[in-house]
């Protein structure tokens, strides 16, 4: 797909340089043409922030390869890692932890390959981290699922003002906590990083938010601005892989959410955490 002039003009000129402050980490498994199209559009967009992007692809074979279909300017910001992984279940939490330890900046953004948000929301989330938050969501809790037509348009040119004018409704009646989040890298690692007991698609977003809050760390959403999810077909890794996995991961969520601070601290430093 040829990207047509993704708009980078909404990067505020008075904002700090993010190149030494923020790393975007993106673990992916490209399981459809739509996923690939989404990934290319999202990469093209986030690279407009001028910070490093680490793209980790884990699969039997690389679909992204050398990024030859991406433009040269975008690829300057991207480091692509391929990990041969034949497991049918994409263990995303494990790869996020790997990337958290590879990053060297104070702040990391864990970014799904299907999410678009306005740049000013990223800057607000960075400010929230610098003011003491351990996790900051770069949207106001409203998570919009774009239609196929809306997604095609957004992939070509992410026009935030046009999307705002449509007044699209969030799919949840509560603040959402998935898709993309920023974290103070060291503080989040002290909270255990990702819980690798969540081995595939599951409730890890809710667990992460609750665990960090139980441990006494601050979490915040931006004042305004939605997150937009690009349309794609839903494969094996877009739902619980099995009923056994669903039961096991729901139990892990309940287990963590029911713990007191001291009990949780012992749990995340114990041998059974990862």
């Amino acid at each position: 797909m040829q990207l047509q002039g993704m708009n980078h003009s909404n990067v505020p000129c008075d904002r700090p340089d993010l190149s030494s402050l923020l790393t975007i980490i993106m673990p992916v498994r490209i399981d459809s043409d739509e996923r690939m199209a989404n990934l290319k559009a999202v990469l093209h967009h986030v690279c407009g922030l001028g910070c490093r992007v680490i793209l980790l692809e884990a699969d039997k074979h690389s679909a992204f390869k050398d990024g030859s279909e991406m433009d040269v300017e975008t690829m300057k910001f991207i480091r692509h890692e391929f990990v041969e992984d034949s497991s049918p279940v994409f263990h995303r939490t494990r790869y996020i932890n790997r990337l958290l330890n590879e990053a060297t900046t104070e702040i990391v953004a864990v970014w799904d390959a299907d999410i678009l948000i306005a740049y000013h929301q990223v800057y607000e989330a960075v400010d929230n981290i610098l003011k003491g938050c351990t996790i900051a969501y770069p949207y106001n809790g409203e998570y919009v699922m774009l239609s196929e037509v809306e997604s095609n348009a957004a992939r070509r040119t992410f026009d935030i003002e046009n999307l705002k004018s449509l007044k699209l409704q969030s799919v949840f009646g509560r603040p959402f906590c998935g898709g993309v989040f920023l974290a103070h890298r060291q503080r989040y690692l002290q909270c255990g990083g990702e819980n690798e007991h969540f081995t595939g698609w599951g409730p890890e977003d809710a667990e992460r938010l609750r665990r960090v809050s139980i441990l006494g760390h601050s979490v915040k959403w931006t004042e305004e601005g939605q997150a937009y999810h690009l349309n794609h077909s839903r494969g094996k890794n877009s739902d619980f892989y099995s009923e056994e996995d669903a039961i096991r991961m729901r139990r892990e969520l309940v287990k963590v959410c029911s713990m007191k601070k001291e009990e949780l601290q012992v749990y995340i430093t114990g041998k059974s955490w990862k």
Side-chain angles (χ1 to χ4, degrees), residues 102-131:
E102 287 184 20
T104 57
T105 52
E106 183 177 0
I107 304 172
V108 294
V110 182
W111 206 300
D112 283 4
D114 308 297
I115 301 299
L116 289 170
I117 56 171
Y119 291 137
H120 72 86
Q121 295 167 214
V122 178
Y123 280 99
E124 184 179 343
V126 168
D127 287 342
N128 286 335
I129 296 290
L130 294 176
K131 289 175 182 176

mmCIF file of all heavy atoms in Angstrom, residues 102-131:
data_model
loop_
_atom_site.group_PDB
_atom_site.id
_atom_site.type_symbol
_atom_site.label_atom_id
_atom_site.label_comp_id
_atom_site.label_asym_id
_atom_site.label_seq_id
_atom_site.Cartn_x
_atom_site.Cartn_y
_atom_site.Cartn_z
ATOM 1 N N GLU A 102 15.566 -3.738 26.609
ATOM 2 C CA GLU A 102 16.438 -3.268 25.530
ATOM 3 C C GLU A 102 16.436 -1.747 25.426
ATOM 4 O O GLU A 102 17.450 -1.153 25.050
ATOM 5 C CB GLU A 102 15.988 -3.858 24.191
ATOM 6 C CG GLU A 102 16.307 -5.330 24.016
ATOM 7 C CD GLU A 102 15.932 -5.843 22.631
ATOM 8 O OE1 GLU A 102 15.784 -5.019 21.705
ATOM 9 O OE2 GLU A 102 15.786 -7.075 22.480
ATOM 10 N N ALA A 103 15.317 -1.128 25.723
ATOM 11 C CA ALA A 103 15.225 0.325 25.619
ATOM 12 C C ALA A 103 16.126 0.981 26.660
ATOM 13 O O ALA A 103 16.359 0.424 27.738
ATOM 14 C CB ALA A 103 13.782 0.769 25.816
ATOM 15 N N THR A 104 16.605 2.156 26.335
ATOM 16 C CA THR A 104 17.507 2.864 27.245
ATOM 17 C C THR A 104 16.959 4.226 27.663
ATOM 18 O O THR A 104 17.570 4.894 28.490
ATOM 19 C CB THR A 104 18.883 3.061 26.586
ATOM 20 O OG1 THR A 104 18.725 3.769 25.352
ATOM 21 C CG2 THR A 104 19.556 1.717 26.314
ATOM 22 N N THR A 105 15.843 4.643 27.114
ATOM 23 C CA THR A 105 15.283 5.950 27.442
ATOM 24 C C THR A 105 14.472 5.882 28.736
ATOM 25 O O THR A 105 14.041 4.816 29.175
ATOM 26 C CB THR A 105 14.390 6.455 26.304
ATOM 27 O OG1 THR A 105 13.434 5.438 25.967
ATOM 28 C CG2 THR A 105 15.211 6.810 25.087
ATOM 29 N N GLU A 106 14.233 7.033 29.308
ATOM 30 C CA GLU A 106 13.482 7.113 30.564
ATOM 31 C C GLU A 106 12.036 6.648 30.377
ATOM 32 O O GLU A 106 11.462 6.016 31.270
ATOM 33 C CB GLU A 106 13.489 8.556 31.075
ATOM 34 C CG GLU A 106 12.793 8.747 32.405
ATOM 35 C CD GLU A 106 12.882 10.183 32.916
ATOM 36 O OE1 GLU A 106 13.486 11.029 32.230
ATOM 37 O OE2 GLU A 106 12.345 10.452 34.011
ATOM 38 N N ILE A 107 11.463 6.940 29.224
ATOM 39 C CA ILE A 107 10.060 6.633 28.962
ATOM 40 C C ILE A 107 9.958 5.692 27.773
ATOM 41 O O ILE A 107 10.711 5.804 26.805
ATOM 42 C CB ILE A 107 9.264 7.926 28.673
ATOM 43 C CG1 ILE A 107 9.407 8.918 29.838
ATOM 44 C CG2 ILE A 107 7.793 7.619 28.420
ATOM 45 C CD1 ILE A 107 8.817 10.292 29.554
ATOM 46 N N VAL A 108 9.031 4.748 27.854
ATOM 47 C CA VAL A 108 8.727 3.880 26.712
ATOM 48 C C VAL A 108 7.242 3.983 26.406
ATOM 49 O O VAL A 108 6.429 4.214 27.311
ATOM 50 C CB VAL A 108 9.095 2.402 26.973
ATOM 51 C CG1 VAL A 108 10.586 2.221 27.109
ATOM 52 C CG2 VAL A 108 8.371 1.868 28.202
ATOM 53 N N ALA A 109 6.908 3.829 25.147
ATOM 54 C CA ALA A 109 5.514 3.726 24.732
ATOM 55 C C ALA A 109 5.311 2.333 24.169
ATOM 56 O O ALA A 109 5.995 1.943 23.215
ATOM 57 C CB ALA A 109 5.181 4.782 23.678
ATOM 58 N N VAL A 110 4.418 1.569 24.764
ATOM 59 C CA VAL A 110 4.083 0.234 24.274
ATOM 60 C C VAL A 110 2.884 0.413 23.348
ATOM 61 O O VAL A 110 1.789 0.749 23.801
ATOM 62 C CB VAL A 110 3.761 -0.726 25.426
ATOM 63 C CG1 VAL A 110 3.465 -2.121 24.897
ATOM 64 C CG2 VAL A 110 4.920 -0.762 26.426
ATOM 65 N N TRP A 111 3.109 0.180 22.048
ATOM 66 C CA TRP A 111 2.156 0.632 21.036
ATOM 67 C C TRP A 111 1.698 -0.543 20.183
ATOM 68 O O TRP A 111 2.497 -1.230 19.564
ATOM 69 C CB TRP A 111 2.843 1.667 20.147
ATOM 70 C CG TRP A 111 1.955 2.668 19.464
ATOM 71 C CD1 TRP A 111 0.947 2.397 18.586
ATOM 72 C CD2 TRP A 111 2.000 4.080 19.591
ATOM 73 N NE1 TRP A 111 0.368 3.548 18.146
ATOM 74 C CE2 TRP A 111 0.991 4.613 18.752
ATOM 75 C CE3 TRP A 111 2.810 4.959 20.325
ATOM 76 C CZ2 TRP A 111 0.774 5.978 18.629
ATOM 77 C CZ3 TRP A 111 2.581 6.321 20.203
ATOM 78 C CH2 TRP A 111 1.575 6.820 19.366
ATOM 79 N N ASP A 112 0.373 -0.775 20.150
ATOM 80 C CA ASP A 112 -0.180 -1.795 19.266
ATOM 81 C C ASP A 112 -0.039 -1.355 17.808
ATOM 82 O O ASP A 112 -0.053 -0.155 17.504
ATOM 83 C CB ASP A 112 -1.663 -2.034 19.565
ATOM 84 C CG ASP A 112 -1.886 -2.882 20.808
ATOM 85 O OD1 ASP A 112 -0.893 -3.214 21.485
ATOM 86 O OD2 ASP A 112 -3.051 -3.196 21.104
ATOM 87 N N ALA A 113 0.011 -2.327 16.919
ATOM 88 C CA ALA A 113 0.231 -2.043 15.507
ATOM 89 C C ALA A 113 -1.014 -1.548 14.787
ATOM 90 O O ALA A 113 -0.970 -1.315 13.572
ATOM 91 C CB ALA A 113 0.740 -3.305 14.799
ATOM 92 N N ASP A 114 -2.119 -1.349 15.505
ATOM 93 C CA ASP A 114 -3.371 -0.934 14.878
ATOM 94 C C ASP A 114 -3.901 0.387 15.442
ATOM 95 O O ASP A 114 -5.056 0.733 15.192
ATOM 96 C CB ASP A 114 -4.446 -2.018 15.088
ATOM 97 C CG ASP A 114 -3.964 -3.398 14.667
ATOM 98 O OD1 ASP A 114 -3.679 -3.584 13.479
ATOM 99 O OD2 ASP A 114 -3.858 -4.280 15.541
ATOM 100 N N ILE A 115 -3.089 1.113 16.190
ATOM 101 C CA ILE A 115 -3.587 2.270 16.932
ATOM 102 C C ILE A 115 -3.003 3.576 16.394
ATOM 103 O O ILE A 115 -1.792 3.709 16.206
ATOM 104 C CB ILE A 115 -3.225 2.150 18.431
ATOM 105 C CG1 ILE A 115 -3.826 0.885 19.025
ATOM 106 C CG2 ILE A 115 -3.709 3.380 19.190
ATOM 107 C CD1 ILE A 115 -5.326 0.812 18.973
ATOM 108 N N LEU A 116 -3.883 4.548 16.170
ATOM 109 C CA LEU A 116 -3.481 5.899 15.782
ATOM 110 C C LEU A 116 -4.015 6.890 16.811
ATOM 111 O O LEU A 116 -5.176 6.805 17.229
ATOM 112 C CB LEU A 116 -4.026 6.258 14.400
ATOM 113 C CG LEU A 116 -3.396 5.534 13.204
ATOM 114 C CD1 LEU A 116 -4.205 5.810 11.940
ATOM 115 C CD2 LEU A 116 -1.947 5.962 13.002
ATOM 116 N N ILE A 117 -3.164 7.812 17.224
ATOM 117 C CA ILE A 117 -3.567 8.895 18.119
ATOM 118 C C ILE A 117 -2.854 10.168 17.682
ATOM 119 O O ILE A 117 -1.834 10.121 16.997
ATOM 120 C CB ILE A 117 -3.232 8.600 19.599
ATOM 121 C CG1 ILE A 117 -1.745 8.298 19.759
ATOM 122 C CG2 ILE A 117 -4.071 7.488 20.163
ATOM 123 C CD1 ILE A 117 -1.303 8.220 21.202
ATOM 124 N N ALA A 118 -3.384 11.303 18.081
ATOM 125 C CA ALA A 118 -2.782 12.591 17.730
ATOM 126 C C ALA A 118 -1.483 12.797 18.508
ATOM 127 O O ALA A 118 -1.346 12.365 19.657
ATOM 128 C CB ALA A 118 -3.760 13.717 18.027
ATOM 129 N N TYR A 119 -0.544 13.500 17.882
ATOM 130 C CA TYR A 119 0.755 13.731 18.508
ATOM 131 C C TYR A 119 0.641 14.491 19.830
ATOM 132 O O TYR A 119 1.362 14.205 20.786
ATOM 133 C CB TYR A 119 1.665 14.512 17.564
ATOM 134 C CG TYR A 119 2.125 13.751 16.350
ATOM 135 C CD1 TYR A 119 2.133 14.368 15.097
ATOM 136 C CD2 TYR A 119 2.560 12.435 16.432
ATOM 137 C CE1 TYR A 119 2.562 13.687 13.966
ATOM 138 C CE2 TYR A 119 2.981 11.743 15.322
ATOM 139 C CZ TYR A 119 2.983 12.374 14.084
ATOM 140 O OH TYR A 119 3.402 11.699 12.975
ATOM 141 N N HIS A 120 -0.247 15.483 19.881
ATOM 142 C CA HIS A 120 -0.310 16.291 21.107
ATOM 143 C C HIS A 120 -0.701 15.440 22.305
ATOM 144 O O HIS A 120 -0.331 15.755 23.449
ATOM 145 C CB HIS A 120 -1.269 17.470 20.923
ATOM 146 C CG HIS A 120 -2.726 17.099 20.881
ATOM 147 N ND1 HIS A 120 -3.493 16.969 22.022
ATOM 148 C CD2 HIS A 120 -3.552 16.830 19.836
ATOM 149 C CE1 HIS A 120 -4.731 16.628 21.681
ATOM 150 N NE2 HIS A 120 -4.796 16.543 20.359
ATOM 151 N N GLN A 121 -1.404 14.351 22.076
ATOM 152 C CA GLN A 121 -1.775 13.448 23.169
ATOM 153 C C GLN A 121 -0.543 12.697 23.687
ATOM 154 O O GLN A 121 -0.438 12.422 24.889
ATOM 155 C CB GLN A 121 -2.848 12.469 22.702
ATOM 156 C CG GLN A 121 -4.163 13.144 22.335
ATOM 157 C CD GLN A 121 -5.126 12.251 21.586
ATOM 158 O OE1 GLN A 121 -5.877 12.720 20.721
ATOM 159 N NE2 GLN A 121 -5.143 10.967 21.878
ATOM 160 N N VAL A 122 0.368 12.365 22.793
ATOM 161 C CA VAL A 122 1.617 11.716 23.217
ATOM 162 C C VAL A 122 2.419 12.668 24.092
ATOM 163 O O VAL A 122 2.930 12.276 25.152
ATOM 164 C CB VAL A 122 2.450 11.282 21.994
ATOM 165 C CG1 VAL A 122 3.777 10.654 22.440
ATOM 166 C CG2 VAL A 122 1.672 10.303 21.121
ATOM 167 N N TYR A 123 2.502 13.935 23.669
ATOM 168 C CA TYR A 123 3.252 14.907 24.461
ATOM 169 C C TYR A 123 2.624 15.104 25.837
ATOM 170 O O TYR A 123 3.337 15.246 26.841
ATOM 171 C CB TYR A 123 3.337 16.236 23.710
ATOM 172 C CG TYR A 123 4.393 16.250 22.636
ATOM 173 C CD1 TYR A 123 4.054 16.046 21.302
ATOM 174 C CD2 TYR A 123 5.724 16.447 22.952
ATOM 175 C CE1 TYR A 123 5.022 16.045 20.312
ATOM 176 C CE2 TYR A 123 6.713 16.449 21.976
ATOM 177 C CZ TYR A 123 6.349 16.242 20.653
ATOM 178 O OH TYR A 123 7.312 16.232 19.680
ATOM 179 N N GLU A 124 1.304 15.123 25.904
ATOM 180 C CA GLU A 124 0.644 15.254 27.210
ATOM 181 C C GLU A 124 0.948 14.049 28.095
ATOM 182 O O GLU A 124 1.194 14.194 29.305
ATOM 183 C CB GLU A 124 -0.861 15.417 27.030
ATOM 184 C CG GLU A 124 -1.590 15.656 28.347
ATOM 185 C CD GLU A 124 -3.089 15.851 28.187
ATOM 186 O OE1 GLU A 124 -3.551 16.123 27.055
ATOM 187 O OE2 GLU A 124 -3.813 15.718 29.197
ATOM 188 N N ALA A 125 0.940 12.859 27.510
ATOM 189 C CA ALA A 125 1.260 11.656 28.284
ATOM 190 C C ALA A 125 2.712 11.680 28.759
ATOM 191 O O ALA A 125 3.005 11.276 29.890
ATOM 192 C CB ALA A 125 0.993 10.415 27.445
ATOM 193 N N VAL A 126 3.626 12.138 27.907
ATOM 194 C CA VAL A 126 5.025 12.296 28.319
ATOM 195 C C VAL A 126 5.112 13.248 29.507
ATOM 196 O O VAL A 126 5.804 12.977 30.497
ATOM 197 C CB VAL A 126 5.890 12.799 27.144
ATOM 198 C CG1 VAL A 126 7.263 13.254 27.643
ATOM 199 C CG2 VAL A 126 6.050 11.706 26.091
ATOM 200 N N ASP A 127 4.390 14.367 29.437
ATOM 201 C CA ASP A 127 4.376 15.318 30.551
ATOM 202 C C ASP A 127 3.868 14.654 31.829
ATOM 203 O O ASP A 127 4.407 14.888 32.922
ATOM 204 C CB ASP A 127 3.487 16.521 30.207
ATOM 205 C CG ASP A 127 4.114 17.451 29.188
ATOM 206 O OD1 ASP A 127 5.349 17.379 28.992
ATOM 207 O OD2 ASP A 127 3.368 18.241 28.572
ATOM 208 N N ASN A 128 2.837 13.829 31.705
ATOM 209 C CA ASN A 128 2.293 13.155 32.885
ATOM 210 C C ASN A 128 3.315 12.203 33.507
ATOM 211 O O ASN A 128 3.402 12.095 34.735
ATOM 212 C CB ASN A 128 1.019 12.389 32.509
ATOM 213 C CG ASN A 128 -0.166 13.307 32.285
ATOM 214 O OD1 ASN A 128 -0.226 14.409 32.822
ATOM 215 N ND2 ASN A 128 -1.128 12.864 31.483
ATOM 216 N N ILE A 129 4.091 11.524 32.653
ATOM 217 C CA ILE A 129 5.153 10.648 33.177
ATOM 218 C C ILE A 129 6.214 11.487 33.888
ATOM 219 O O ILE A 129 6.660 11.150 35.002
ATOM 220 C CB ILE A 129 5.798 9.830 32.041
ATOM 221 C CG1 ILE A 129 4.787 8.869 31.407
ATOM 222 C CG2 ILE A 129 7.023 9.061 32.560
ATOM 223 C CD1 ILE A 129 4.359 7.716 32.266
ATOM 224 N N LEU A 130 6.628 12.571 33.281
ATOM 225 C CA LEU A 130 7.666 13.422 33.874
ATOM 226 C C LEU A 130 7.194 14.061 35.183
ATOM 227 O O LEU A 130 8.015 14.412 36.029
ATOM 228 C CB LEU A 130 8.085 14.503 32.874
ATOM 229 C CG LEU A 130 8.796 13.998 31.609
ATOM 230 C CD1 LEU A 130 9.076 15.154 30.658
ATOM 231 C CD2 LEU A 130 10.090 13.268 31.959
ATOM 232 N N LYS A 131 5.883 14.175 35.346
ATOM 233 C CA LYS A 131 5.331 14.735 36.580
ATOM 234 C C LYS A 131 5.115 13.668 37.652
ATOM 235 O O LYS A 131 4.611 13.985 38.731
ATOM 236 C CB LYS A 131 4.010 15.442 36.274
ATOM 237 C CG LYS A 131 4.175 16.735 35.491
ATOM 238 C CD LYS A 131 2.822 17.329 35.122
ATOM 239 C CE LYS A 131 2.986 18.592 34.290
ATOM 240 N NZ LYS A 131 1.659 19.138 33.847
#
